[in-house]
Amino acid sequence: MRTKEILGKEVLNLNVTILGKVVDFEIDPETYQITGLVINKGNIKEKMNIKKSEDIIPVDMVSKVGDKILLKDLSEEE
């Protein structure tokens, strides 16, 4: 999968709540592997360019990538 295919995808948790859209990646400078997805939190302030709000999702939290990106159930890893 190419990066342009992931950029803009919505990220959802298990409750199918949209957490945001992928806007960038974090990359390990030594291995050149993607380590995190940078998502923006969609809200009215961001749409008006008043304030940018971002979160970084570690790639090991990703369960599936399709039309949308689904995160893992964190309780499964306990």
Side-chain angles (χ1 to χ4, degrees):
M1 183 170 278
R2 295 177 180 246
T3 56
K4 67 180 180 179
E5 295 175 276
I6 297 173
L7 289 172
K9 284 190 184 283
E10 291 179 328
V11 177
L12 292 84
N13 63 15
L14 282 180
N15 297 326
V16 195
T17 302
I18 298 171
L19 303 177
K21 290 185 180 181
V22 178
V23 294
D24 204 354
F25 303 99
E26 275 199 335
I27 298 177
D28 183 317
E30 293 179 13
T31 64
Y32 301 106
Q33 292 184 333
I34 295 173
T35 59
L37 303 176
V38 179
I39 63 168
N40 68 354
K41 297 178 188 178
N43 59 38
I44 192 69
K45 288 182 182 178
E46 187 169 309
K47 290 176 184 169
M48 297 174 64
N49 290 324
I50 295 173
K51 177 183 175 189
K52 292 209 178 220
S53 180
E54 297 179 337
D55 281 332
I56 298 171
I57 307 293
V59 292
D60 58 351
M61 286 183 60
V62 174
S63 172
K64 295 179 183 176
V65 178
D67 291 337
K68 308 211 184 277
I69 296 173
L70 182 63
L71 300 182
K72 291 180 183 176
D73 181 1
L74 297 178
S75 64
E76 289 178 1
E77 297 188 15
E78 293 177 358

